[in-house]
Amino acid sequence: MIPQLNILNQIYSLYDKFTENFDIECKKGCSHCCTCNVTVTTIEAYKIIDYLIKEDKLKLLSGLSTSQKRFLPKITINQFAELCINDGEIPEEENNPDWGNCAFLSDDICSIYELRPFACRCMLSEKQCGEKGYAFMNPFILTVNNVFQQYIEHLDQNGYFGNIADILTLLSDSETRADYMKNNLKSDSAPLISN
């Protein structure tokens, strides 16, 4: 196990404790935001893959598609913050929930709910998203989300950021996982961004 996983678990636990104090509608079984557009860092994807291997559930990866139209971020959260600080131009990014559901969604239930990445974990709407077609998020929670995302990216500073399908596909190879564990992960995959 890589030491960063323990820190990631602590970050998730701290965030879950923080969110207990808010009245939110999002919970297991609510799937309005469970699309193929989920983003992750390699540390988060490694946590998922590690669990799926240990529990003999790698078949859950079969629904992933890197050929499907999906959100492909152009910058990480820390790159976004740097652009904002320096009055830089934020790149346009195409994102549409109609492109499809998350591969881990089955009968409106997330099959990896306890392992869900921060992008899923931090989606906390005060109202049912299905009623209005969008989430209504507390501005303070959005600010805290950005800080947590920045820490997770920093924790995975030798890794990558991208769509969950792309990063899980990358880490599904045992040699690539071994390289990641040795801090020697190299990828020239176009949709992935260095943290």
Side-chain angles (χ1 to χ4, degrees):
M1 178 193 270
I2 54 179
Q4 292 93 327
L5 280 179
N6 288 329
I7 298 169
L8 180 65
N9 290 336
Q10 290 174 26
I11 289 171
Y12 282 177
S13 178
L14 182 63
Y15 185 78
D16 291 345
K17 190 165 189 63
F18 160 74
T19 60
E20 288 174 356
N21 300 316
F22 293 92
D23 186 25
I24 54 173
E25 291 291 326
C26 305
K27 57 189 169 289
K28 188 174 184 176
C30 173
S31 62
H32 295 289
C33 65
C34 301
T35 71
C36 62
N37 300 321
V38 173
T39 57
V40 296
T41 58
T42 40
I43 186 72
E44 294 175 286
Y46 185 90
K47 177 181 174 70
I48 294 167
I49 290 272
D50 189 53
Y51 170 82
L52 295 177
I53 290 169
K54 287 178 182 171
E55 298 297 318
D56 195 28
K57 295 184 174 185
L58 279 174
K59 65 179 183 246
L60 289 175
L61 296 178
S62 64
L64 292 174
S65 172
T66 56
S67 61
Q68 173 184 10
K69 190 154 176 96
R70 65 206 178 284
F71 176 57
L72 300 173
K74 294 181 181 175
I75 57 175
T76 69
I77 190 71
N78 283 322
Q79 291 167 346
F80 176 81
E82 185 176 2
L83 286 171
C84 290
I85 288 169
N86 296 317
D87 291 325
E89 190 171 326
I90 309 298
E92 290 287 325
E93 295 178 318
E94 188 179 10
N95 190 347
N96 186 333
D98 293 332
W99 289 336
N101 290 334
C102 177
F104 294 108
L105 192 63
S106 177
D107 296 324
D108 290 332
I109 301 288
C110 176
S111 56
I112 59 164
Y113 187 77
E114 298 305 320
L115 304 167
R116 70 197 184 283
F118 192 76
C120 301
R121 204 170 285 268
C122 75
M123 193 66 193
L124 301 172
S125 181
E126 295 177 348
K127 298 178 182 173
Q128 280 285 337
C129 298
E131 293 173 10
K132 299 274 186 188
Y134 57 88
F136 182 81
M137 294 181 67
N138 178 313
F140 178 66
I141 290 176
L142 284 172
T143 301
V144 171
N145 288 352
N146 286 330
V147 172
F148 272 81
Q149 285 177 310
Q150 287 180 282
Y151 273 101
I152 292 169
E153 181 183 336
H154 182 72
L155 177 65
D156 193 35
Q157 60 187 298
N158 294 319
Y160 294 94
F161 176 73
N163 186 285
I164 192 169
D166 298 305
I167 294 188
L168 283 174
T169 298
L170 176 72
L171 292 179
S172 65
D173 175 69
S174 60
E175 288 182 32
T176 304
R177 279 194 314 280
D179 286 343
Y180 179 66
M181 289 181 70
K182 295 178 206 164
N183 260 346
N184 195 28
L185 182 62
K186 301 283 187 261
S187 175
D188 55 3
S189 297
L192 301 184
I193 308 163
S194 293
N195 288 332

